[in-house]
Amino acid sequence: MRYLIRFATVAIATVSIATNCQAGSEPPPALSDALIHYAKLEYVQAHRMLSPLADDGNAVAQEILGFMRARGEGVPRDDIAAVRWFTLAAEAGRAEAQFELGRIYRDGVGVTADGRAALHWLRSAADRGKADAYEAVAELYLGRSGIPADSAAANEWFLRAAERGSAQAMYNIALRHAEGQGVPRDDIEALMWFDLAYGDAVGSLRDTIASARMALTERLMPIQVQMALNRAREWTRTHRQE
């Protein structure tokens, strides 16, 4: 499983290698080789090959070195070094690095916690299509990490995350409707979102959503349940991005 996760990370980097090259040029062969070593968990070789590329300004190499330093992969864990590499890659436009940097500033790992910096980098990652960033931005707008609470903004970002398939965002929207948090309380709307979330969730989150969905279903009349399911189908048809 760990190999598959690492391979997926490298695949994301590999797909966008071309963004770090001049138009019409080929990506450095050493970078492709280094990413293969990294995917195979051959961290010493990967680090040795990535370091000179990162020093020369290659944003993909900088991003991967950020992960290696943050996780202690083949090198001692060094949160400060991770921040340095992620910052360079983020400033070059790497969405994964922007997302990681946003979480670092949110949580204060290797830096002083800074909600505004977290919001900046998480929004930047979202602007570049990083799906998880939408959920993270929404949570900041709930009044976390020193960001003033803004229910309208939180709702907007949760919806944008939901449109990109975030089961966690759908679950959060359901809870907000079920409890009247920042939106009018609406059990039918809540059940709609619980149903949508259940369809995309996995693992323990799916179990949690199943329990919440069942509890709410038992309180509603059959016609209300059907209304919720109809809304879920209509929302999927009209809002879900392909």
Side-chain angles (χ1 to χ4, degrees):
M1 177 62 70
R2 190 181 181 196
Y3 175 84
L4 293 176
I5 294 172
R6 187 71 65 251
F7 188 82
T9 300
V10 174
I12 292 170
T14 304
V15 166
S16 53
I17 285 175
T19 64
N20 296 274
C21 307
Q22 296 297 323
S25 64
E26 293 294 326
L31 179 58
S32 297
D33 292 342
L35 293 176
I36 291 171
H37 284 299
Y38 184 66
K40 294 168 66 176
L41 312 185
E42 297 170 352
Y43 296 133
V44 174
Q45 298 96 316
H47 188 271
R48 176 172 51 80
M49 299 176 72
L50 288 168
S51 292
L53 295 170
D55 289 337
D56 286 342
N58 185 284
V60 174
Q62 292 166 347
E63 181 179 278
I64 299 299
L65 286 183
F67 282 114
M68 296 184 76
R69 282 298 185 181
R71 298 167 178 166
E73 296 171 335
V75 290
R77 174 172 173 169
D78 186 333
D79 292 331
I80 294 175
V83 170
R84 172 176 174 264
W85 288 121
F86 280 138
T87 299
L88 289 171
E91 289 174 345
R94 295 289 302 173
E96 290 291 331
Q98 291 170 343
F99 179 66
E100 292 300 323
L101 196 57
R103 296 202 302 174
I104 284 170
Y105 277 108
R106 180 195 65 192
D107 300 335
V109 179
V111 295
T112 300
D114 186 334
R116 292 190 179 278
L119 184 59
H120 167 76
W121 287 116
L122 290 172
R123 289 193 63 157
S124 296
D127 288 344
R128 289 185 173 272
K130 175 65 176 172
D132 291 343
Y134 291 88
E135 166 77 16
V137 170
E139 291 179 354
L140 286 180
Y141 279 125
L142 293 178
R144 299 176 183 174
S145 302
I147 299 299
D150 186 334
S151 290
N155 291 338
E156 175 189 348
W157 282 90
F158 277 132
L159 284 170
R160 294 174 71 182
E163 289 171 353
R164 289 157 178 81
S166 171
Q168 183 65 57
M170 296 173 193
Y171 177 56
N172 286 336
I173 295 171
L175 290 177
R176 289 170 71 75
H177 280 289
E179 300 169 5
Q181 297 179 352
V183 294
R185 179 170 179 174
D186 185 334
D187 285 343
I188 295 175
E189 192 75 4
L191 182 57
M192 162 195 155
W193 285 106
F194 280 135
D195 191 68
L196 289 168
Y198 181 79
D200 283 346
V202 296
S204 60
L205 177 60
R206 185 179 175 88
D207 295 337
T208 299
I209 295 169
S211 296
R213 184 179 67 161
M214 179 60 68
L216 184 53
T217 298
E218 290 174 349
R219 297 205 310 267
L220 298 179
M221 295 183 296
I223 190 172
Q224 292 175 307
V225 173
Q226 190 58 52
M227 289 172 63
L229 297 180
N230 288 343
R231 287 188 193 180
R233 284 194 293 269
E234 180 64 17
W235 188 91
T236 298
R237 186 181 68 82
T238 60
H239 289 83
R240 181 66 62 82
Q241 294 186 351
E242 296 297 333

